[in-house]
Amino acid sequence: MLLQYVAFLLVQMTRPNPPQREAIRYIDGPLLVLAGAGSGKTRVIIEKIAYLIQQCDYSAKRITAVTFTNKAAQEMTQRVRANLGERAKGLRISTFHALGLNIIRAELEALNLKRGFSIFDAQDSMALLQDLALQERLGDSEVISTCQHLISQWKNDLLGPEQVSQLAENGVERQAAALYAKYERSLQAYNAVDFDDLISKPVRLLQTDATVRERWQNNIHYMLVDEYQDTNTSQYQLLQLITGSRAMFTVVGDDDQSIYSWRGARPENLDILQSDYPQLKAIKLEQNYRSTQTILGAANHLIANNPHSFEKRLWSELGLGESVHVERRADENDEIEYVVNEILDHRLRHKSELQDFAVLYRSNFQARLLEMRLQAEQLPYRISGGTSFFARNEIKDLMAYLRLLINPVDDGAMLRVINTPRRGIGAQTLETLATYAQSRDTGLLAACSEMGLTSLLEGKALHKVQQFGRWMEDRQRALQHEPVAAIKQLLSDIDYEDWLLQNSSSTATAERRWANVQFLISAIEKDVKAAGDAAEIEKIIAKLVLRDLLDRQENEEDFDRIQLLTLHAAKGLEFKHVYIIGFEEELLPHRNSVEPAAIEEERRLAYVGMTRAQQTLTLSYAARRKKYGEVVACEPSRFLEELPQQFIVWPAKTALSPEQNKARGEQTMGSLKALFD
DNA sequence: ATCCAACTAATTTTT
DNA sequence: TTAGTTGGAT
């Protein structure tokens, strides 16, 4: 921790290199910074913000910097604060989605939303879609998830249901288009937006309403975008609309690190920028401060196999360093054993710390063997991934209650809440309630307390429904006064802790879940205190969904762990020693990604992984591997053949043909010789 | 409403 | 292989 801080200070103290300086100081118009891996792009953004405020008279509150993840936004905020202190006050550094949320909150009426609107995450919208699909009597879950994907794509491309219904070509698309229209109507009725709406709604508003557009253009005078290659169509539109004809912005990106096209990212936004802004200035950052020349050379050679619209050549001054190792092993167990032994060996010989090692892989399942092995060896590790905080059931439950309290027409939340815990309100009763609510054009919760219901339901069912309605109304009032106390009271009213105990596989899981709930409450408590106003509760809850509360307890003592990451999760990070396992056909490139365009992204994925390494890089693959319970022979990844011959230590025996084998052997000798020349 | 057996599919993941 | 889902039976 301390060491990292010292290293950080050192970097800060050295002056930026000429292209970095140029990127920091160019403020005459739109600027594209093509920042290769490890070229100090975050530094450019941070120092540019400082430059804008200190040298160019930009007011901090007129500058907005956007990133894709909370983590990146947090990190940037911290570094800017360390740099500017008080002068950073009012500066907006947030994710694209948080920026969109701010716009939506400020423009509620124009967007046809009411205060306290709900934000649906992917799970919530899936639940809604399933519900709607059920009404239509269509659909296994696979079709519905395809629909969800399509709808999300359409939204990101700013296509409404009407446009889509004309475009839809095949059966699934037509189905999805029909579902899309219903979905949008439901969201509207629920006073809710989904994650994609957080961007697309502001965009559509800014496109159509000149007054609003001008307001935001006057509000934000300069925009900076990190990881620009990951933007999708609507995010790019948002940038364009906010910066308007002044076009005062800096975007920083690297086309070679675009690995999220499957999530809607449009790396071609880099090219589009040039045609949309003829005056665009482009600056390349090509000096890499992270890796040895050998590692960089190998990565460069690989990525040169992809077409490029911006040629760039990364170089390093950090010396040749060690050769890249390619290791062939008999099977997956052998591969893991090799990696773990290497790490242990290296640690002994070089006194490295465990946190200096990262093992990267394409798919999560590859980590399982590794985990088992590390557990057996009693080596501490940290693994990426896992269910995000807000996807956990106990958190979803509590959030559904909060959503319903703040937004009583959120029927999605109502459906989750009404029988959590069991209240003995069955499907039949709910059906009646829903039909009645529909006829009265109101939400499910409001319907519970309406008099008209008495003629449709009777006895126990009626009583329970009315009881629930009354109880929720009480809770609603309480929430406005003392939000945190009200939430605690709510949980004790429903005996939630008890319910968890009964619905968890073990006491331990129940305790963990309850702790998660407590954690969420304490986070809310903190925010309420910070806001200093209980009336802000609906704003606090809305922001909460966009935040990542995953409790990464990283206290000093168990900080020293081996890092286990997917190649995707490794982006933006660096490690002294990197092992990429499963460098095989079917795995990397993944078996589902063999069309030319997909291969290019897989290649970038390999490139991203390789460029994480500072000092040593090892690529391993297995000759045989158990797949789905069957042992199959594996081919080394085609990407291995795309590496330079120099500076790589190839395995003694490969699974290639004898001739290739021989060539490889000679290559090995050649590169070894070259190394020592 | 709940449980169990049979069946099936098998990347990457943030907001 | 295994995890997650579905549908049938209780």
Side-chain angles (χ1 to χ4, degrees), chain A residues 418-450:
Chain A
I418 194 152
N419 277 317
T420 313
R422 302 250 153 262
R423 288 191 177 83
I425 299 172
Q428 196 55 58
T429 311
L430 274 178
E431 186 108 348
T432 313
L433 188 67
T435 320
Y436 176 73
Q438 201 153 39
S439 75
R440 300 278 299 136
D441 198 22
T442 177
L444 287 176
L445 181 57
C448 290
S449 342
E450 285 210 6

Side-chain angles (χ1 to χ4, degrees), chain A residues 484 488 515-528:
Chain A
V484 178
K488 287 178 180 164
N516 285 337
V517 171
Q518 297 298 323
F519 187 76
L520 177 58
I521 294 175
S522 68
I524 296 172
E525 198 162 10
K526 233 187 264 169
D527 287 357
V528 170

Side-chain angles (χ1 to χ4, degrees), chain A residues 54-74:
Chain A
Q54 293 176 312
Q55 313 289 323
C56 312
D57 274 339
Y58 271 92
S59 153
K61 63 170 190 272
R62 296 284 166 257
I63 301 173
T64 291
V66 285
T67 63
F68 279 84
T69 64
N70 287 303
K71 210 175 137 205
Q74 259 170 36

Side-chain angles (χ1 to χ4, degrees), chain A residues 147-169 173 176-184 187 194 196-197 199-201 203-204 207 232-235 237 266:
Chain A
C147 289
Q148 185 184 31
H149 191 76
L150 279 169
I151 292 172
S152 170
Q153 241 170 27
W154 287 330
K155 282 197 179 192
N156 287 325
D157 287 340
L158 301 166
L159 298 166
E162 324 75 39
Q163 290 158 289
V164 159
S165 66
Q166 284 165 9
L167 287 169
E169 278 170 3
E173 282 186 12
L179 211 51
Y180 184 16
K182 295 190 91 180
Y183 174 72
E184 288 294 275
L187 282 178
D194 66 18
D196 299 319
D197 288 333
I199 314 289
S200 62
K201 279 199 189 288
V203 166
R204 230 172 274 141
Q207 276 174 339
N232 60 34
T233 304
S234 60
Q235 285 158 342
Q237 286 288 320
R266 293 289 175 98

Side-chain angles (χ1 to χ4, degrees), chain A residues 88-318:
Chain A
K89 223 176 150 203
L91 184 69
R92 197 190 325 239
I93 300 180
S94 72
T95 61
F96 261 111
H97 294 263
L99 173 64
L101 175 60
N102 280 338
I103 298 177
I104 292 180
R105 289 187 52 82
E107 314 290 346
L108 279 186
E109 335 74 65
L111 287 165
N112 237 335
L113 286 163
K114 293 184 282 293
R115 276 190 73 203
F117 63 90
S118 301
I119 301 173
F120 278 28
D121 67 15
Q123 251 184 70
D124 300 324
S125 68
M126 186 60 176
L128 174 55
L129 282 171
Q130 261 163 349
D131 196 45
L132 294 173
L134 210 67
Q135 290 169 24
E136 290 279 284
R137 303 213 172 287
L138 53 87
D140 51 302
S141 62
E142 204 192 335
V143 174
I144 301 172
S145 93
T146 313
C147 289
Q148 185 184 31
H149 191 76
L150 279 169
I151 292 172
S152 170
Q153 241 170 27
W154 287 330
K155 282 197 179 192
N156 287 325
D157 287 340
L158 301 166
L159 298 166
E162 324 75 39
Q163 290 158 289
V164 159
S165 66
Q166 284 165 9
L167 287 169
E169 278 170 3
N170 54 47
V172 192
E173 282 186 12
R174 233 166 292 147
Q175 229 167 42
L179 211 51
Y180 184 16
K182 295 190 91 180
Y183 174 72
E184 288 294 275
R185 254 176 280 142
S186 294
L187 282 178
Q188 185 74 60
Y190 295 177
N191 189 32
V193 298
D194 66 18
F195 275 158
D196 299 319
D197 288 333
L198 290 176
I199 314 289
S200 62
K201 279 199 189 288
V203 166
R204 230 172 274 141
L205 180 63
L206 293 174
Q207 276 174 339
T208 53
D209 191 325
T211 323
V212 176
R213 187 166 62 236
E214 270 163 41
R215 186 154 63 233
W216 282 92
Q217 289 180 349
N218 289 330
N219 186 358
I220 297 174
H221 292 172
Y222 203 98
M223 258 182 103
L224 301 102
V225 181
D226 193 14
E227 305 282 11
Y228 176 74
Q229 77 283 350
D230 288 340
T231 52
N232 60 34
T233 304
S234 60
Q235 285 158 342
Y236 174 47
Q237 286 288 320
L238 190 61
L239 170 72
Q240 283 191 294
L241 286 161
I242 289 176
T243 56
S245 56
R246 270 183 301 191
M248 285 303 210
F249 62 76
T250 295
V251 302
V252 183
D254 180 5
D255 47 345
D256 288 331
Q257 292 187 69
S258 159
I259 53 175
Y260 284 114
S261 69
W262 53 275
R263 216 162 66 186
R266 293 289 175 98
E268 60 271 27
N269 280 348
L270 278 164
D271 307 298
I272 296 171
L273 211 54
Q274 267 186 324
S275 44
D276 283 353
Y277 299 92
Q279 77 276 38
L280 181 77
K281 168 101 173 164
I283 296 173
K284 294 177 193 173
L285 304 184
E286 294 175 297
Q287 181 173 3
N288 170 295
Y289 295 95
R290 179 185 294 151
S291 315
T292 63
Q293 288 161 341
T294 302
I295 291 169
L296 212 52
N300 273 342
H301 206 271
L302 171 75
I303 205 63
N305 289 283
N306 270 3
H308 286 88
S309 35
F310 302 95
E311 284 303 331
K312 72 181 177 317
R313 186 98 197 144
L314 276 182
W315 55 278
S316 159
E317 283 180 345
L318 299 178

